[in-house]
C-alpha cells in the first residue's frame, strides 16, 4: 500500500510540475479531453431520450451485441485480460470492425453495462 501511495504521489507531482511549466498546453489538453469525452456518445449516434433506458437509444446492432457480450463476460467477476483480448478478436472477426471501432465498441459496451 505505501508503494502505491508513493507511485500515485510521484505521478501527481510530475503532472503538477508539468502543468506549472506549461499552463497553456495543460489547459488545451484538458479542454481536448473534456470535449472528446462529451462527444463520444455522439460518435455512435447515441441520442439521449427521456423516459427510455440508454440501451433503447442504440441504433447499431453491432454495438448492442458488443454491450451484450461485455455484460455476459462480466457476469461472475471482472474479466481477465485474456478474456477481453479474445472478445476483441471475436468482435473484429464476426462484425468486421477495424481496430479502432472494435476498441470503441468495447469501451461503449462497458459504459452501457
Amino acid at each position: 500500500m505505501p508503494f502505491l501511495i508513493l507511485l500515485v504521489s510521484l505521478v501527481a507531482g510530475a503532472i503538477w510540475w508539468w502543468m506549472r511549466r506549461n499552463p497553456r498546453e495543460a489547459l488545451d489538453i484538458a479542454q481536448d479531453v473534456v470535449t472528446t469525452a462529451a462527444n463520444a456518445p455522439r460518435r455512435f449516434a447515441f441520442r439521449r431520450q427521456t423516459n427510455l433506458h440508454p440501451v433503447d437509444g442504440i441504433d447499431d446492432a453491432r454495438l448492442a451485441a458488443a454491450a451484450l457480450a461485455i455484460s455476459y463476460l462480466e457476469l461472475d467477476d471482472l474479466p481477465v485480460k485474456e478474456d477481453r483480448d479474445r472478445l476483441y478478436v471475436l468482435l473484429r472477426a464476426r462484425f468486421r470492425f477495424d481496430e479502432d471501432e472494435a476498441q470503441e465498441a468495447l469501451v461503449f459496451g462497458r459504459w452501457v453495462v
Side-chain angles (χ1 to χ4, degrees):
M1 185 68 178
F3 179 73
L4 183 62
I5 292 172
L6 175 68
L7 182 65
V8 170
S9 299
L10 287 175
V11 170
I15 291 172
W16 182 78
W17 180 77
W18 176 75
M19 286 176 30
R20 298 267 305 165
R21 302 277 299 167
N22 304 316
R24 185 174 303 243
E25 185 179 348
L27 287 174
D28 289 340
I29 289 174
Q31 185 178 13
D32 289 343
V33 167
V34 169
T35 304
T36 302
N39 290 336
R42 286 190 207 122
R43 281 185 79 186
F44 293 111
F46 183 79
R47 293 180 305 279
R48 180 176 294 175
Q49 298 171 354
T50 58
N51 298 331
L52 287 179
H53 191 273
V55 175
D56 292 334
I58 299 174
D59 294 333
D60 190 2
R62 300 182 315 164
L63 292 176
L68 189 63
I70 294 268
S71 66
Y72 275 113
L73 193 63
E74 294 183 0
L75 275 176
D76 290 334
D77 288 327
L78 288 176
V80 294
K81 177 131 175 69
E82 291 83 18
D83 293 337
R84 287 181 300 209
D85 291 342
R86 198 174 315 128
L87 180 60
Y88 172 76
V89 170
L90 285 172
L91 284 177
R92 289 197 63 198
R94 299 283 183 197
F95 297 123
R96 295 189 178 102
F97 282 131
D98 63 3
E99 290 179 26
D100 293 333
E101 285 178 334
Q103 284 293 346
E104 290 174 356
L106 287 175
V107 170
F108 183 74
R110 179 75 178 109
W111 176 78
V112 169
V113 170

